[in-house]
Amino acid sequence: MPSFLLRVTKVFGLLLLLLLIYTLFRMCFFMFNRPAFSGITAEELQHIFLWGWRFDVSAILVINSLYIVLMLLPVDTLSWQKWQKGLRVLFIITNSIAFLFEIADWRYFMFNHKRSTADVLNMVSRKGDFLVILPSFLKDYWYLFLLAAVLIVVFYKVSYWVDRYFDRLYAQLLPHPKATMLNVIGQILGLAVVTGLSVIGIRCGLQLIPYSIRNAVEITKSQYSSILLNTPYSIINTIQNTTLEPSTFMDEAEAYALIQPAKQFAGPFQPKNVVIIIVESLSKEWTKLGNGVDCTPFLDSLMDHSLTFTNAYANGRHSNDGVPAILSGIPALMDEPFIESIYSNNKIVSMATLLEQKGYSTAFYHGATNGSMNLFTYSQAAGFDHYYGRTEYNNEKDYDGAWGIYDEPFLQYFYKGLNTMPQPFLASVFTLSSHPPYALPKAYKEIFNKGSQPIENSIAYTDYALKRFFESARQQPWYANTLFVITADHCSPAASNEFYANGAGRYQIPILFFEPGNEACVGYNDVLTQQIDLLPGLMQYLGYSSPFYALGNSMFDTTVNHRFVINRADFVYEWIQDGYRMKFQNDRAIEAFAYPADSLGIYNLINKGFNESAQGQNATLWWKAFVQIYTHAMVNNKMTLN
């Protein structure tokens, strides 16, 4: 028994060491991302750190469960020197891997705006994305890797010292008593007690339902929940979240009466060419619409000749969220992007599938390495005839060294490709130069260098690339009969102020409908709209009269009385409707703010009876109807009318 108690003491000491390290990690995470948590008080931060230990203990116990069991076997394992060395290696490797994920998140959070979840494992497994961006990540954030290396070395040294210390204590137990049945039974009971306590720790307590990442918003405000969590816990907790749980709040007929995904518009159909330009990270704030840093002189000028939607929102935070939202009307409401989920093979509607019924030729262009973000697979599922990427471009002198082909040459390649397409055509192009690491061609580094943040320079370069594209396209015979739709995949990970960093502004994007020579398609429109509205909006604009499935509402449909915007972040739904911005979890609003009056979300109306008010109940009803229809349609593969 003395040997077993010594082993328990050793395990407990090492776990306390890890808890201290995770507390230090939380402080580092907070300091590295301090601008994202403006307004937090010292009292709230203390509350978060105290509660954070629950999530730390849970992650530590899961990561070290095998080590604990092998250390506390009901035999005298301290006498097995090779066994102890093997356990030390296991302990160092498993925890070092967890450290690397945690430390990488101190900077990855800037782009992700959440703790990394299990979908980061999918990114690591995609060589086309992970390996190409790794060198630039190492270059830009070398200090993190240096810090990680130093930490792991120190961690190894301390662990080695702990091993030696307990070896000396074990040596003092000589002569070691022989194992007896009573001794073995005592160790088995001791292991059972440790196992029971570990289960409680993994569950984060004795409450009826084990805690999960979703419980973070019950402990602190949603915008601070990432401080409360740690990255290993976030990954572990979501690794099994492969299925979507259907939500049922009301009768099916009642839900469909509100949302009405079956759409049909009046004709006659106008067979215009359609070009969808999706600009990487084009936040509204970078344009003249944002009243902030203006990096887009060309787009600004084009807005004066376009129908520009000034109150438009993205439906996700990532590129592989935004593309399906724009082209297929599918919002990002799952723990992972739709195109990486188990539902990616579902039958879906897209601009391509609908317009192909009208004889359109279709193509999707993206200058990244083929297969990046699964966009090639999505383009096939969405019915595009052709995909053109870095492989098809076939000129590595224009490769940016990280993601793919610089925007200016690739957009020139795009317009030349349009020249070869049979009309009418639908073609979508997705730019990439305004993505970290914001690489610029050497010839333009001295031209686009006036921004206070790297993204401002890359946005300015992409704006110039778009100008060059339109200068070339304007000379082509198909140009006059073409509708151009310009928008963003999502907002920038960087921001110039608090509203765009943490408020609703982190979803605000421009949407432009530009049709050369059509004066009826000019003006500024403040209708509340979102990416998933583009699919029905385009169909109504063209006079597409056949019925089709769309969760969004056309921005041109004047019969829509209740417009809304939906998003989901940190396992909380965000919903904008009728002058309010709300956050929902389970079946109720947990935060509500007057919007846009309280654009920074300072005055929470929940404590003033918002959920019981007529406005609160009405908004909740609409949100429930949408979530119910979305989840059931996704799970049952019914996002089409047939």
Side-chain angles (χ1 to χ4, degrees), residues 123-124 126-135 402:
M123 185 194 74
V124 171
R126 290 197 307 267
K127 294 181 180 179
D129 287 346
F130 179 69
L131 293 182
V132 296
I133 198 174
L134 183 59

Side-chain angles (χ1 to χ4, degrees), residues 13 47 49 75 87 95 105 130 133 166 173 215 229 239 313 339 408 413 424 429 458 511 558 590:
H47 173 72
F49 268 72
V75 291
L87 288 183
N95 285 287
D105 227 14
F130 179 69
I133 198 174
F166 279 93
L173 295 176
N215 293 101
L229 300 169
I239 204 164
Y313 295 78
I339 59 180
E408 184 195 8
Y413 171 72
V429 63
S458 62
I511 293 179
T558 57
I590 58 173

Side-chain angles (χ1 to χ4, degrees), residues 307-367:
L307 182 57
T308 304
F309 293 92
T310 61
N311 194 19
Y313 295 78
N315 289 115
R317 296 183 180 182
H318 306 97
S319 299
N320 47 8
D321 291 332
V323 173
I326 294 167
L327 300 178
S328 293
I330 300 175
L333 304 181
M334 293 189 287
D335 296 342
E336 56 192 342
F338 161 72
I339 59 180
E340 295 182 359
S341 72
I342 63 171
Y343 306 108
S344 59
N345 289 326
N346 280 11
K347 187 178 180 182
I348 58 174
V349 171
S350 76
M351 295 178 181
T353 58
L354 295 179
L355 292 182
E356 277 185 337
Q357 297 175 20
K358 296 295 185 179
Y360 276 61
S361 57
T362 59
F364 184 90
Y365 284 74
H366 185 209

Side-chain angles (χ1 to χ4, degrees), residues 386-435:
H386 302 287
Y387 176 93
Y388 298 95
R390 176 183 168 192
T391 299
E392 289 73 20
Y393 184 82
N394 195 29
N395 189 347
E396 290 300 284
K397 73 179 182 65
D398 295 325
Y399 176 51
D400 67 4
W403 278 107
I405 307 303
Y406 289 114
D407 284 350
E408 184 195 8
F410 194 77
L411 286 174
Q412 292 297 303
Y413 171 72
F414 176 54
Y415 104 78
K416 292 175 183 177
L418 298 182
N419 290 342
T420 67
M421 293 184 70
Q423 299 186 54
F425 58 72
L426 164 71
S428 178
V429 63
F430 180 20
T431 70
L432 56 73
S433 290
S434 44
H435 188 291

Side-chain angles (χ1 to χ4, degrees), residues 192-474:
V193 171
V194 172
T195 301
L197 292 174
S198 297
V199 170
I200 294 173
I202 291 170
R203 297 176 81 259
C204 294
L206 290 169
Q207 66 283 343
L208 182 62
I209 305 297
Y211 271 17
S212 72
I213 193 172
R214 295 170 176 81
N215 293 101
V217 296
E218 299 175 5
I219 299 166
T220 186
K221 294 179 180 179
S222 59
Q223 60 263 42
Y224 305 146
S225 61
S226 294
I227 312 174
L228 181 73
L229 300 169
N230 62 73
T231 299
Y233 177 87
S234 183
I235 293 173
I236 292 166
N237 194 250
T238 56
I239 204 164
Q240 295 298 324
N241 291 357
T242 57
T243 59
L244 185 66
E245 187 68 28
S247 300
T248 304
F249 300 111
M250 62 190 75
D251 290 339
E252 185 178 88
E254 184 180 1
Y256 277 93
L258 293 173
I259 299 303
Q260 299 177 351
K263 301 293 193 298
Q264 187 170 16
F265 301 110
F269 184 76
Q270 306 175 67
K272 299 180 181 296
N273 302 315
V274 178
V275 172
I276 309 293
I277 301 176
I278 305 172
V279 181
E280 171 70 48
S281 300
L282 182 63
S283 305
K284 177 180 175 180
E285 68 173 311
W286 304 133
T287 73
K288 71 176 182 179
L289 302 178
N291 298 318
V293 181
D294 190 350
C295 308
T296 58
F298 170 72
L299 275 180
D300 291 348
S301 65
L302 192 65
M303 289 178 190
D304 294 334
H305 304 280
S306 306
L307 182 57
T308 304
F309 293 92
T310 61
N311 194 19
Y313 295 78
N315 289 115
R317 296 183 180 182
H318 306 97
S319 299
N320 47 8
D321 291 332
V323 173
I326 294 167
L327 300 178
S328 293
I330 300 175
L333 304 181
M334 293 189 287
D335 296 342
E336 56 192 342
F338 161 72
I339 59 180
E340 295 182 359
S341 72
I342 63 171
Y343 306 108
S344 59
N345 289 326
N346 280 11
K347 187 178 180 182
I348 58 174
V349 171
S350 76
M351 295 178 181
T353 58
L354 295 179
L355 292 182
E356 277 185 337
Q357 297 175 20
K358 296 295 185 179
Y360 276 61
S361 57
T362 59
F364 184 90
Y365 284 74
H366 185 209
T369 302
N370 291 43
S372 176
M373 293 178 284
N374 285 339
L375 290 178
F376 170 75
T377 302
Y378 163 74
S379 72
Q380 303 302 297
F384 282 90
D385 297 331
H386 302 287
Y387 176 93
Y388 298 95
R390 176 183 168 192
T391 299
E392 289 73 20
Y393 184 82
N394 195 29
N395 189 347
E396 290 300 284
K397 73 179 182 65
D398 295 325
Y399 176 51
D400 67 4
W403 278 107
I405 307 303
Y406 289 114
D407 284 350
E408 184 195 8
F410 194 77
L411 286 174
Q412 292 297 303
Y413 171 72
F414 176 54
Y415 104 78
K416 292 175 183 177
L418 298 182
N419 290 342
T420 67
M421 293 184 70
Q423 299 186 54
F425 58 72
L426 164 71
S428 178
V429 63
F430 180 20
T431 70
L432 56 73
S433 290
S434 44
H435 188 291
Y438 309 120
L440 295 177
K442 290 182 180 180
Y444 293 108
K445 287 183 178 180
E446 297 302 318
I447 298 175
F448 302 107
N449 63 356
K450 299 178 178 62
S452 60
Q453 302 182 77
I455 190 171
E456 295 174 26
N457 299 324
S458 62
I459 288 288
Y461 165 70
T462 297
D463 181 72
Y464 171 75
L466 287 171
K467 177 184 178 182
R468 291 270 293 110
F469 165 77
F470 275 94
E471 287 173 348
S472 299
R474 194 174 294 120

